[in-house]
Amino acid sequence: MRKFLPWIIGVVVLFGIYSYVKGINNTAVTLDQGVKESWGNVQTSYQRRNDLIGNLVKTVQGAAEYEKGTLTAVIDARAKATSVTIDPTNITPEQLAQFNQAQSGMSSALSRLLVTVEQYPSLKANENFLKLQDELASTENQILTARTRYNEAIKPYNNHVKVFPNNLFAGMFGFKEKPYFEAVAGAEKAPDVEFNFDKKEETK
């Protein structure tokens, strides 16, 4: 029996190492799936805004036909924002910064459009425009929530793959630290979707 003891101990040790490494990998997989789900929700929120903006441009086009330059800027910014795609599996700080910048450009162009249309009080009576105004405000809140939840999903994942000795094995399985969403300059203020038509009409 004694001659088999070293083999038994070796098997137990190997099984323990296997179970430990397996646990690291499986936990990382589970957390990574949570990150992917959260990123999917971020993309869905931005896609909803892009869809609304397309409808908004068509609505404004009919009532503010002379604002072609502003509308073109929104259309171009929307195209740029939708062209930036990210694989959450291999997301890098540079990719996320590029995505953030493109979405910020979309926000800026949209904000300029919404300021410009104040010159067209007829839009005040346009039901489609008023509905889009409310939906855009709601979507901005959804985007903020989705980005926050993405960061919340990133934290436990990064903690898991960065702590010692997990970091020794996580890299072997292809798991690496993922970047957080960071606010860009001016991003703390959502695009203004409030319209003071009454004030403009009073000044006439």
Side-chain angles (χ1 to χ4, degrees), residues 102-121:
Q103 297 299 337
S104 177
M106 180 68 262
S107 296
S108 297
L110 176 60
S111 183
R112 288 193 296 273
L113 173 64
L114 296 178
V115 170
T116 301
V117 298
E118 289 190 13
Q119 302 174 41
Y120 302 89

Side-chain angles (χ1 to χ4, degrees), residues 13 16 20 25 29 34 37 55 58 62 95 99 103 120 133 151 154 157 166 179 187 192 198-199:
V13 170
Y20 180 75
N25 179 73
V29 168
E37 180 183 9
N55 295 331
K58 292 178 182 178
Q95 289 175 331
F99 178 87
Q103 297 299 337
Y120 302 89
Q133 173 187 341
N151 280 349
I154 286 287
Y157 169 85
N166 292 11
D192 188 2
D198 293 333
K199 182 178 180 181

